[in-house]
Amino acid sequence: ASSQSSLDEDYSPSVKVHRSRRQSEVDMPSTSSSTRLNDAAENDNENPSLIEIPPWLSDVTEEISDFINACRFTEATELTLKAKAEVAEILNQHDKLTDRRLSKKQLTSMQRILIEIETLTALMGDRLSETLRRKNEALKQACKRERTDPAYELLPVLSPICINDDSIALQLLVKLGRPKDAAVAYSNRRSLQLSESLNERPISGSASFDLVIYAS
C-alpha cells in the first residue's frame, strides 16, 4: 500500500476498475494459501496415523519471551519446563517404532520449538545470574561506603545482607540447569555476610560474646 501511494495516481474510472481487479487477484492466492495451511494443520491432527500436537505449543515460545521481558521469571521457568517436557515426550513417541509418528512438517516444528526453548532458557539463566552478581556487588560497595561514613558509629546495628533474599532466584537457576551459577551467587552472598559480621562494631564490651551473636 505504501509503494502504491508513492506512484502517480490516475483517477479515471477505467484505471480504478483495473487496479481493483489486479488487487483482488493478488489477494486471492494468499487467502487460499492460508486456507491450505490451516487445512493441512487440521488434517495433521485428524490423521489417526500422526501424533497429535497440543495447540498451546504453537505460541509457547512467544509466551515465554513475554514473561522474560516482564521479569516474571517464575512463570517463565514453569512454562519452559512444561513445554520442554511436552516436546521431549512427543519426539520420544516419534522415535519409537509405533503406528503413530510425526509428519515432516510436525517434526520440523517440534525441533524448531525445542531450539527456541533452549535459547530462551540460556537467556533467562544469564539474566538471573547477572542480576545476582550486580546485587552482590552493590551490597559490597554499600557496606564499604557505610564503614567510611563519619556517622558510622551512630548508625543502627543492622546489616542489609541476608542470605534468603535471593532464594527464589537461586532455585530458578537450579531448575534451569545452572546449579554452578547458583552456587557461585550463594557463596558470594555468604562471603559478604561473614565479612559484614566480622567488620561490625561491637555490640557489647566483650568481642568473643559478639562473635557468638554474629555466628548465630
Side-chain angles (χ1 to χ4, degrees):
S2 61
S3 60
Q4 289 180 355
S5 63
S6 63
L7 299 175
D8 294 334
E9 302 214 350
D10 191 341
Y11 294 96
S12 63
S14 60
V15 173
K16 285 185 178 181
V17 171
H18 289 304
R19 182 174 298 169
S20 62
R21 286 179 180 176
R22 288 197 301 270
Q23 184 64 33
S24 62
E25 291 173 357
V26 171
D27 291 339
M28 284 177 61
S30 62
T31 304
S32 60
S33 177
S34 175
T35 303
R36 286 197 299 271
L37 289 176
N38 292 333
D39 293 341
E42 291 178 359
N43 292 334
D44 284 345
N45 287 332
E46 293 176 358
N47 192 337
S49 64
L50 297 178
I51 298 175
E52 183 177 356
I53 297 177
W56 60 272
L57 281 177
S58 60
D59 57 352
V60 68
T61 54
E62 295 180 4
E63 293 184 20
I64 295 173
S65 180
D66 291 340
F67 281 141
I68 294 175
N69 292 332
C71 295
R72 297 169 61 180
F73 297 117
T74 300
E75 292 91 336
T77 300
E78 292 176 355
L79 186 56
T80 296
L81 297 177
K82 179 183 177 182
K84 192 173 183 179
E86 186 70 28
V87 173
E89 178 63 24
I90 292 174
L91 293 176
N92 187 35
Q93 293 179 13
H94 174 75
D95 292 336
K96 293 180 179 178
L97 298 177
T98 59
D99 296 336
R100 303 185 64 187
R101 297 178 64 82
L102 293 171
S103 66
K104 185 176 180 180
K105 185 179 72 174
Q106 286 178 322
L107 180 60
T108 302
S109 177
M110 290 298 97
Q111 292 173 343
R112 175 185 57 79
I113 290 175
L114 190 60
I115 292 174
E116 291 179 356
I117 288 176
E118 293 294 342
T119 302
L120 291 172
T121 300
L123 174 63
M124 184 160 41
D126 292 341
R127 287 195 179 182
L128 287 170
S129 298
E130 181 64 16
T131 300
L132 292 173
R133 187 194 67 80
R134 290 184 178 184
K135 288 178 66 176
N136 287 334
E137 183 64 25
L139 287 172
K140 183 179 180 180
Q141 297 301 325
C143 292
K144 288 182 178 179
R145 288 193 301 268
E146 185 179 284
R147 284 194 291 269
T148 57
D149 190 343
Y152 174 67
E153 296 295 334
L154 303 177
L155 295 175
V157 183
L158 180 62
S159 174
I161 301 174
C162 181
I163 290 293
N164 293 329
D165 284 348
D166 300 324
S167 59
I168 295 178
L170 295 174
Q171 292 173 5
L172 293 179
L173 278 175
V174 173
K175 290 181 179 180
L176 294 172
R178 307 276 288 265
K180 183 177 180 181
D181 293 341
V184 170
Y186 178 82
S187 63
N188 290 338
R189 179 61 63 87
R190 181 66 176 171
S191 299
L192 283 174
Q193 187 184 48
L194 292 175
S195 176
E196 182 70 4
S197 299
L198 293 175
N199 289 287
E200 189 61 78
R201 63 183 183 273
I203 299 175
S204 64
S206 174
S208 60
F209 184 71
D210 284 342
L211 290 176
V212 176
I213 296 176
Y214 295 145
S216 64

